[in-house]
Amino acid sequence: NGWIYVRNNDFSTYYEAENTCDDHKQKGREISGYYLIDPYWFEYTTYCDMTLGIGESKNNPIWIEDCTDLQNINNDLIKYYALKNNIDCSDTINWNSGEGFEPIGDNVDEFKGNLQGYERTISNLYINRPDTNYVGLFGNIEGDISNLGLVNVNITGNDYIGGIAGAESGTITNSYVTGNIKGNYMVGGLTGMN
């Protein structure tokens, strides 16, 4: 909450630079200034929204650091989440007796939250559920996914299959998928159906 994130000179990396809202007297205020990552100065503006708890605003997300954190999004499908680093999900090939990662949300309980990738990647995600509909990193989303890369995925399902989502009625922006995706009906790279 109140952390600022600035990019390096080639716009490829975000730095967790400074928490401008440590002083609770700044609650509810917009803070602007400059931050030095030698040799460059970066201008920033952030809003100190301390009235909301963790995961209740884009300024105070739940940070995802590994594939287990990613899987645990299933425990709360309406929060704000953000990738703290690149994530390697290679071990998901050993999860759930060979079925791999369990898609986040489904056709009944859609993901209605927000995932900000900060242009980081999730790699080697494995899902092998050939009899299951609505398969992908997310089964079904009504929320927002942005600035996310899925690299070298291996995803198999039945109907409504995609890399990021099996079905999507929310928004996916500035995101991409590479790898193998297999299914029978409504199969796509980003989403199976939107």
Side-chain angles (χ1 to χ4, degrees), residues 71-77 81:
Q71 185 69 91
N72 287 339
I73 294 176
N74 257 327
N75 297 329
D76 197 330
L77 298 171
Y81 299 90

Side-chain angles (χ1 to χ4, degrees), residues 75-108:
N75 297 329
D76 197 330
L77 298 171
I78 62 171
K79 296 287 190 183
Y80 287 82
Y81 299 90
L83 262 61
K84 192 164 188 177
N85 44 256
N86 295 332
I87 295 174
D88 184 353
C89 287
S90 295
D91 194 51
T92 52
I93 197 170
N94 301 311
W95 289 15
N96 298 313
S97 302
E99 291 188 335
F101 188 88
E102 180 182 354
I104 300 166
D106 56 32
N107 196 40
V108 176

Side-chain angles (χ1 to χ4, degrees), residues 124-172:
N124 305 309
L125 182 72
Y126 180 84
I127 303 174
N128 184 27
R129 298 171 182 263
D131 298 321
T132 301
N133 298 332
Y134 299 95
V135 172
L137 173 64
F138 294 87
N140 195 358
I141 65 169
E142 290 185 2
D144 300 311
I145 312 299
S146 58
N147 304 309
L148 177 65
L150 296 187
V151 178
N152 194 35
V153 301
N154 191 338
I155 296 173
T156 301
N158 189 30
D159 298 339
Y160 308 105
I161 314 301
I164 290 182
E168 171 263 319
S169 57
T171 60
I172 299 173

Side-chain angles (χ1 to χ4, degrees), residues 2 4 20-21 25-33 44-49 59:
I4 60 170
T20 61
C21 297
K25 293 178 182 177
Q26 296 174 346
K27 174 177 153 183
R29 291 181 52 205
E30 189 173 88
I31 308 298
S32 298
Y44 69 85
T45 299
T46 188
Y47 184 76
C48 301
D49 191 7
N59 293 325

